[in-house]
Amino acid sequence: MKQVLFLKPLFFFGLVWICKSTIAQTPAPDLDSITEDSYRRMLERQEAEQNDIVYPNFVAPEYDSNLETYSVAAVSSPRGEGIIGYVSDPNDIIDFAAEQRINELLYELEQKSSVEVAVVMLPSIGQEVPKSFAVDLFKEWKIGKADTDNGLLIITVMDQRRTEFEVGYGLEGILTDVVCYRIGVNEIVPRFKEGDFGGGIENAVLRVKEFLENPEAIDEVYGYSVVHEEQEFKWQWYHLLLLIYPILCLVFGFWYYGQAFDIQLSKDDYYDKYHRLDKLKFGCTQYLFPIPMLFFARMAKRRLERYRNAPRFSKLNGKPMKLLTNYDEIEFLAEAQLLEEELKSILYDVWITEDESDIMFLEYEGPNGRKYSDCKECSYKTFGKISSLVLVAATYDHGGTRIDKYECRNCNYKEEKEIETPQKSRPSESSSGSSFSSSSSSSSSSFGGGSSGGGGAGVSW
Ligand SMILES: [Zn+2]
């Protein structure tokens, strides 16, 4: 064990030394001669070589060199018989080397993603608006594959100092107005102002290629996230509960009805049916599943009434019996039973045959049935709480004591119960501060500038 402990710092030191030496060996890029763009181009070139891309011999279209102002129809397309390329530049605004590189980049893009891009450089379109000219030219040339609409037109009008990005429907999700505008502002405008038209277009094309080949580059290049995919949905336990709950409601609903149906069909007499159905109503299920219980309770209420008032016959002689009114039943009930009815702990139905040969007492739980219990002395359901006395009040620091007094209303039998009351719980202090923090973190990521609205995908330089 000691040996290992001794080796540990040695190992760490060795690791640091190795790291240091490898850093020293890596040649530092000469920042003056290698710009970020040319470095990237170099990487692109290397990648292309690795992928063994064989470029075709790009052939530019023929131009009418006399023209100074162009109409849509007059612009030579870079696509056609014997013409291979992506650039239409009749006045050679872009130098040959840059045009060659642009063609190569766009050829790679089309090979990889089938996206079609056309670059157009025109000295003038007269009084025409560049945006509508771009729309018309896009339509005329039908840039992009028909099924995917994945075309892009980058058109520059020199005398109006304006460059438009016209994007096909299929690319609008990635090359949004904002993205096109930013590419224009970052790549085109600064270089065009210096007269480097080839470099401006080349870098813009490079950016477009980056975006189309890797939409995540949006975040890296511009440092804000353009929301182009839906927020990922994460399952939480309560989602599952929300899904399961209706199913449970349904299951319990069916269970209630099944039970009620079973009672209905059973050969029990109405009195037993009544009590079986009455029992079904209770329990915590009515609070857990209030919706199916709502329907069930209404049905149960109707049925209970029916079971209670259904015609009954004497078990002695089969004679029909009639239900006495509350007033008429007084003479048949004992004093204590009347007290029970008065306390509404038990309700009595008295059934009697016409000739008073048979009499039947049926007990039903009253509205106050739960407040009273059977007395230990007289056994009537008249035993209930009459008062409670607090001996020690519960505080935040300790629990309390209370004495509940019970008495039978019938025979005056008394009982006292000492109850320990729980300690009060303090309102939690930690929860109050948390509500602010969650809202602030989510809002920062979205782009709030709004500069894209008016200009769309065009830039003036
Ligand atoms: Zn009693």
Side-chain angles (χ1 to χ4, degrees), residues 375 377-379 382 408 410-411 413:
C375 174
E377 291 292 314
C378 65
S379 76
T382 49
C408 175
N410 185 41
C411 67
Y413 166 77

Short mmCIF file of all heavy atoms in Angstrom, two decimals, residues 375 377-379 382 408 410-411 413, ligand 1:
data_model
loop_
_atom_site.label_atom_id
_atom_site.label_comp_id
_atom_site.label_asym_id
_atom_site.label_seq_id
_atom_site.Cartn_x
_atom_site.Cartn_y
_atom_site.Cartn_z
N CYS A 375 -73.00 1.57 22.76
CA CYS A 375 -72.65 1.76 24.17
C CYS A 375 -72.29 0.41 24.81
O CYS A 375 -72.91 -0.61 24.51
CB CYS A 375 -73.84 2.38 24.90
SG CYS A 375 -73.59 2.49 26.68
N GLU A 377 -72.61 -0.35 27.87
CA GLU A 377 -73.58 -0.69 28.91
C GLU A 377 -74.92 -1.12 28.34
O GLU A 377 -75.37 -2.22 28.57
CB GLU A 377 -73.78 0.52 29.85
CG GLU A 377 -72.58 0.85 30.71
CD GLU A 377 -72.31 -0.23 31.75
OE1 GLU A 377 -73.28 -0.67 32.40
OE2 GLU A 377 -71.14 -0.64 31.89
N CYS A 378 -75.53 -0.20 27.55
CA CYS A 378 -76.89 -0.47 27.09
C CYS A 378 -76.94 -0.98 25.66
O CYS A 378 -78.00 -1.36 25.17
CB CYS A 378 -77.76 0.77 27.25
SG CYS A 378 -77.23 2.13 26.19
N SER A 379 -75.80 -0.94 24.97
CA SER A 379 -75.62 -1.45 23.62
C SER A 379 -76.41 -0.71 22.53
O SER A 379 -76.45 -1.16 21.39
CB SER A 379 -75.90 -2.97 23.54
OG SER A 379 -77.29 -3.20 23.57
N THR A 382 -75.74 5.13 20.93
CA THR A 382 -75.99 6.45 21.48
C THR A 382 -74.78 6.99 22.22
O THR A 382 -74.85 7.98 22.94
CB THR A 382 -77.18 6.40 22.47
OG1 THR A 382 -76.96 5.31 23.37
CG2 THR A 382 -78.49 6.21 21.75
N CYS A 408 -72.85 8.20 27.00
CA CYS A 408 -74.00 7.60 26.36
C CYS A 408 -75.22 8.47 26.65
O CYS A 408 -75.53 8.76 27.81
CB CYS A 408 -74.24 6.18 26.90
SG CYS A 408 -75.74 5.44 26.23
N ASN A 410 -78.15 7.66 26.28
CA ASN A 410 -79.26 6.84 26.76
C ASN A 410 -79.10 6.50 28.24
O ASN A 410 -79.98 6.80 29.05
CB ASN A 410 -79.35 5.57 25.93
CG ASN A 410 -80.55 4.72 26.30
OD1 ASN A 410 -81.63 5.27 26.53
ND2 ASN A 410 -80.37 3.42 26.37
N CYS A 411 -77.94 5.91 28.63
CA CYS A 411 -77.78 5.46 30.01
C CYS A 411 -76.76 6.28 30.80
O CYS A 411 -76.43 5.93 31.93
CB CYS A 411 -77.41 3.98 30.04
SG CYS A 411 -75.77 3.66 29.35
N TYR A 413 -73.61 6.43 30.59
CA TYR A 413 -72.31 5.80 30.79
C TYR A 413 -71.23 6.73 30.26
O TYR A 413 -71.35 7.30 29.17
CB TYR A 413 -72.27 4.44 30.08
CG TYR A 413 -70.87 3.87 29.95
CD1 TYR A 413 -70.24 3.27 31.05
CD2 TYR A 413 -70.20 3.90 28.72
CE1 TYR A 413 -68.97 2.75 30.93
CE2 TYR A 413 -68.93 3.38 28.59
CZ TYR A 413 -68.31 2.80 29.70
OH TYR A 413 -67.06 2.29 29.58
ZN ZN B 1 -75.70 3.30 27.20
#
